Amino acid sequence: MPQVKIVPRNFMDMVASLPAVKLDMLYDNSFICEAILRSLPPLAKKYVLHLLYIDIPISAKSMEESVLPDGFSKHKVAIDRLIQLRVMTETFDRKKEAMYQLNPKFQLNLQKHIVHGGVLPREPMPSNITVRLPSLEELEAYAVEQWECFLLHLISSSEAGKTTNISSSMMKVFQRGLLSQRDDREPPRLTESGFQFLLMDTNAQLWYIIREYITNAEERGVDSADLIAFLLELSFHVTGKAYNTNTLTDIQRSITKDLSDLGLVKLQQGRKESWFIPTKLATNLSISLADTTSRKQGFIVIETNFRLYAYSTSKLHCEILRLFARVEYQLPNLIVGAITKESLYKAFQNGITAEQIISFLQQNAHPRVAERIPSVPENVTDQIRLWESDLNRVEMMPAHLYDEFPSRDVFEAACDFAREYGGLLWEDSKQMRIIVKADILTEMKEFLRRQKQ
């Protein structure tokens, strides 16, 4: 089964894709230098600190001497990451041996930041100016509600319970690759990538959407480097604190409006001032996907008889479960259904794999069963894999049937021709019928036309 994979990328991948000139402009900001340092793999951080006060190139061999044999792969990953981000440059001496040196601008600004500290991008507003701010629990609930509303609008605006302020043009950008539409008369349908996107965890979904947001920044008249710089800045804000919107540029105000619709910030208006409040989605933006250790509370219980119970009030959860399970009924806080052969076949045909379904069930296991090993019964996971392998035993291939040949000689010549081109799939010598691959349709037509002459 063909499979389209969405590879979510974090901020450092986006930073690495910037031109060298824009990267050097980013490194003028000492806080961005610190954000880059935070995001690096542990060994890469060690190399940066090791070279921070060394102003001459260091040979690659001297750095490799301290690496144990089983740590060489981690060493290579660290070096590659540093070079991709232009934190470190690679040169070659007269003997053509590799030499490494920190980016001078990054090195100087990080030295200053470590020794003297720095002024934060903006200070929180005093509590006597702001109205009652939401608690961390309320802010978390707001972020989840906004994100789920956005996802429902993304896949089906009719299912969303509330409207979103995201423009239709911006929504089309986010839907690119996730939805397809043959013509204006038909409603958009989820693509294979779209089905797979919905089964990702929230962090992976967020990186995908932010990647699209940054990639299309230039079309909206926003410099991608400025956008990345502001988003990285948000990682130094405190979750739940209020920050004055008057400290933002016009472009940054526009960005915060978009981010509020995604649940990354909450906007509030006072009598005279207005402010934005970052949620965890925003303050964790500079963290690598691999470094995210916070685990959301699960809601799914699967029994050995394939019965499924989802303790959730979310419309989005119900829509996601419909992708691979038969939802039988929904109570205010409980979704009841079952995983069936038919529901899984439908999921497989839409491009969802058995491993993605199993991973989703494991990641969202209810706390009562999450600590069990395994959290999803083995007979269920084994059967899901078996049903997928059953479906994959039959391969669909476009083909054409030819019969009613004028003579056996023409029939045998046609068989030889198709066999020679590697396109013969089946032949019936008694009835003089053959099936050939659609790939050689043009050549086969030309061959049969010549036989009639």
Side-chain angles (χ1 to χ4, degrees), residues 62-121:
S62 65
M63 293 184 69
E64 291 172 5
E65 286 174 359
S66 60
V67 180
L68 296 173
D70 60 347
F72 193 78
S73 60
K74 290 183 180 179
H75 166 79
K76 190 174 185 308
V77 168
I79 295 296
D80 288 346
R81 185 47 127 187
L82 291 171
I83 292 173
Q84 286 170 3
L85 291 167
R86 281 183 57 79
V87 168
M88 190 167 71
T89 56
E90 182 181 33
T91 56
F92 295 90
D93 61 12
R94 293 178 180 177
K95 297 179 180 178
K96 295 184 178 181
E97 291 185 0
M99 308 288 288
Y100 299 132
Q101 187 172 12
L102 285 186
N103 180 320
K105 186 176 284 190
F106 180 92
Q107 185 178 23
L108 180 62
N109 282 321
L110 192 58
Q111 285 176 356
K112 289 180 181 177
H113 189 63
I114 289 176
V115 174
H116 304 292
V119 179
L120 289 168

Side-chain angles (χ1 to χ4, degrees), residues 149-216:
C149 176
F150 163 70
L151 290 182
L152 281 171
H153 272 282
L154 195 66
I155 59 176
S156 175
S157 57
S158 62
E159 293 294 337
K162 55 185 282 192
T163 58
T164 178
N165 295 323
I166 297 178
S167 66
S168 58
S169 60
M170 200 68 234
M171 190 63 78
K172 285 181 180 178
V173 168
F174 295 143
Q175 290 173 337
R176 197 175 297 166
L178 302 179
L179 294 180
S180 65
Q181 189 174 15
R182 292 182 180 179
D183 54 57
D184 296 334
R185 291 172 297 179
E186 289 186 5
R189 295 184 62 187
L190 280 168
T191 63
E192 287 189 15
S193 296
F195 282 109
Q196 293 170 17
F197 170 80
L198 290 178
L199 291 188
M200 290 178 180
D201 61 53
T202 301
N203 284 324
Q205 290 173 339
L206 177 63
W207 288 126
Y208 177 83
I209 294 299
I210 290 296
R211 183 190 71 184
E212 294 300 311
Y213 187 63
I214 294 171
T215 303
N216 292 274

Side-chain angles (χ1 to χ4, degrees), residues 132-140 240:
R132 189 187 79 83
L133 298 179
S135 66
L136 292 179
E137 291 77 14
E138 290 170 337
L139 199 61
E140 179 75 12

Side-chain angles (χ1 to χ4, degrees), residues 47-58:
Y47 289 157
V48 170
L49 297 176
H50 178 70
L51 299 174
L52 192 57
Y53 289 94
I54 299 176
D55 297 324
I56 58 172
I58 300 295

Side-chain angles (χ1 to χ4, degrees), residues 199 353-365 376:
L199 291 188
T353 67
E355 292 307 321
Q356 287 170 335
I357 294 171
I358 293 168
S359 175
F360 177 80
L361 294 173
Q362 291 170 339
Q363 291 173 8
N364 293 280
V376 179

